[in-house]
Amino acid sequence: ETGVTQTPRHLVMGMTNKKSLKCEQHLGHNAMYWYKQSAKKPLELMFVYNFKEQTENNSVPSRFSPECPNSSHLFLHLHTLQPEDSALYLCASSQDEGQGFWTQHFGDGTRLSIL
Amino acid sequence: EDQVTQSPEALRLQEGESSSLNCSYTVSGLRGLFWYRQDPGKGPEFLFTLYSAGEEKEKERLKATLTKKESFLHITAPKPEDSATYLCAVQAYSGAGSYQLTFGKGTKLSVIP
């Protein structure tokens, strides 16, 4: 496989369920990201991992919990979500050289629906 | 606060009718401006990066340009397969040694045969 792969592609869950989203990148990059994309709104950065260390957490509610076990894999653990959390969740990766010159490559996302 | 505004929100073109999409930005310490294409049900696909005012890049029917305040994505003689949402993002220093992308809401382009 090549690029950035996200699973599952679609997820329907109740507000009391616990589920996880998975992202895997095959590009040899050292940074990974979670974004939320809602209708009529810009992509919102949620979390950034650089060399497996979380470097950004943009005021995301604690019901979203990221995990990055290595530089190729990224998870987003979900629990007790709200209806407004229904959105497309996108994973991205980049090669961060430390000087701010990089390009992010995205997966095709997980479409999450909260009942 | 960094801001990115894309216009128009939606654009319908006849096949072969050239036009431009606009991305205006206010950001301190711009490192790069990115254009992405997003098809329905897919993630954003990278198109171009522009780093400095005056820079231009081309790919097939698309040409991206950059000034100090805005970027244009020119589409020459578009085809129906160019229909997609085009996203603009700016990369700037966000503090503590990190750089973040700030995205616009996108322009939905429809090319009618």
Side-chain angles (χ1 to χ4, degrees):
Chain A
E1 289 197 58
T2 59
V4 180
T5 304
Q6 292 188 242
T7 55
R9 291 297 315 278
H10 302 274
L11 179 62
V12 179
M13 55 187 287
M15 293 170 59
T16 57
N17 291 159
K18 290 184 180 182
K19 296 285 185 183
S20 296
L21 309 185
K22 179 183 176 182
C23 176
E24 184 174 0
Q25 59 96 1
H26 306 272
L27 300 169
H29 289 163
N30 59 13
M32 297 186 77
Y33 312 79
W34 279 117
Y35 285 89
K36 176 182 180 182
Q37 188 174 34
S38 305
K40 304 295 185 183
K41 295 178 71 174
L43 267 73
E44 301 171 60
L45 180 64
M46 300 175 71
F47 301 103
V48 179
Y49 277 83
N50 201 318
F51 291 98
K52 300 186 298 177
E53 299 293 324
Q54 184 175 316
T55 56
E56 296 285 342
N57 175 343
N58 283 8
S59 303
V60 179
S62 60
R63 57 186 183 269
F64 295 91
S65 175
E67 178 189 0
C68 188
N70 55 61
S71 58
S72 297
H73 294 85
L74 184 65
F75 296 88
L76 188 62
H77 304 298
L78 316 171
H79 63 96
T80 323
L81 295 191
Q82 304 298 310
E84 62 265 27
D85 297 323
S86 297
L88 181 68
Y89 288 84
L90 291 162
C91 173
S93 71
S94 69
Q95 183 61 26
D96 189 346
E97 303 293 347
Q99 297 180 28
F101 294 105
W102 39 243
T103 297
Q104 290 185 18
H105 296 269
F106 286 83
D108 284 336
T110 295
R111 173 67 63 183
L112 177 65
S113 299
I114 307 300
L115 301 179
Chain B
E1 182 179 326
D2 299 344
Q3 286 196 327
V4 179
T5 304
Q6 291 189 245
S7 61
E9 275 191 32
L11 181 63
R12 286 171 61 93
L13 298 173
Q14 289 293 128
E15 184 172 1
E17 179 187 2
S18 301
S19 187
S20 296
L21 313 182
N22 177 263
C23 172
S24 62
Y25 62 90
T26 54
V27 63
S28 299
L30 178 74
R31 298 293 272 183
L33 185 141
F34 297 78
W35 282 100
Y36 286 86
R37 168 192 171 130
Q38 186 172 23
D39 293 299
K42 299 276 194 174
E45 175 188 351
F46 171 71
L47 292 174
F48 304 108
T49 309
L50 302 167
Y51 292 107
S52 58
E55 190 175 359
E56 299 181 353
K57 288 194 176 172
E58 289 188 62
K59 180 180 180 180
E60 295 181 358
R61 294 175 294 282
L62 300 177
K63 179 180 177 181
T65 61
L66 181 65
T67 72
K68 288 187 177 179
K69 294 184 178 181
E70 58 191 348
S71 176
F72 292 93
L73 185 65
H74 307 278
I75 303 177
T76 302
K79 298 182 177 182
E81 53 262 42
D82 295 322
S83 298
T85 296
Y86 290 85
L87 302 175
C88 170
V90 296
Q91 179 187 6
Y93 187 65
S94 62
S98 69
Y99 299 85
Q100 286 194 19
L101 281 184
T102 301
F103 280 85
K105 293 182 180 181
T107 293
K108 184 176 181 180
L109 175 66
S110 302
V111 182
I112 313 302

